[in-house]
Amino acid sequence: MQSTLPGSDGLHVALIMDGNGRWATGRGLPRTAGHRAGVESIRRVCEAAPDLGVRALTLYAFSADNWRRPAEEVAFLMRLLRRYLEAEAARLADSGVRLVVIGRRDRLPEGLPEAIAAAEAATAAGTRLLLRIAIDYSARDAILAAAASAPRSREEMTGLLAGAAGDVDLLVRTSGEKRLSDFLLWECAYAELAFVDTPWPDFDGAALAACLDDFRRRDRRFGGLKAA
Ligand code: IPE
Ligand code: IPE
Ligand code: MG
């Protein structure tokens, strides 16, 4: 499997950041307040991840199916993502984070593809953490696109889909739902799954550490037998 990160013995953790809307409405706030609070969780988790043995983090920010939401909520999310990328790129670069955005770019509103490209360029030298943010992402579409270049092996397919991040070791979904919602379907073939009730805006480094503690107690057999 290809890897461009030094010390690439760390984990690839995928996070389905769910529950922003419920977090907000439960407090009598508009759903957008939950999305705004969710950005703070992204900052906290990215800061904590490298010291917890995570080398790659893939965050589900906006699915290809999220276009079905009301236009005002979609527009708010797009503005929030653009602002996050513009405000955060320098700080990410300073802390050794390399940012890569996965998903389609051709349907994004004006300004966002440019902000993505600028943030990717500004952080390209980062080796401490590979941070992948999935925007307008569908795993099934990604698999279809990768298959179109006719990979000849599973490894080649994984390389096309996941690049340096590789297979997912641990997938965490917040806020109680127990489904994948079209996220990283190929890369999660042997991922350990964790479903936590905490809504995304309340998730932080300690919550990630608890998920990793649980992950490290699991017995990953990959079809074989328990290690003696
Ligand atoms: C996750 O929170 C953020 C996105 C999907 C963009 P939701 O907006 O799905 O929040 P809930 O699940 O409705 O509470
Ligand atoms: C999945 O959450 C997508 C993201 C977290 C970006 P959704 O809230 O859109 O998923 P469903 O609709 O509950 O499956
Ligand atoms: Mg949701």
Side-chain angles (χ1 to χ4, degrees), residues 13-15 44-50 52 54 57 170 172 200 203-216:
V13 174
L15 274 158
R44 291 195 296 263
V45 165
C46 290
E47 230 170 271
L52 295 171
V54 177
L57 198 56
L170 170 66
V172 179
W200 178 249
F203 200 85
D204 58 12
L208 178 62
C211 292
L212 286 162
D213 279 347
D214 176 66
F215 166 84
R216 290 190 168 104

Side-chain angles (χ1 to χ4, degrees), residues 18-27 31 173-177 199:
D18 199 20
N20 292 352
R22 282 165 281 168
W23 179 91
T25 51
R27 285 168 170 70
R31 290 176 55 84
R173 183 171 185 142
T174 60
S175 213
E177 312 295 355

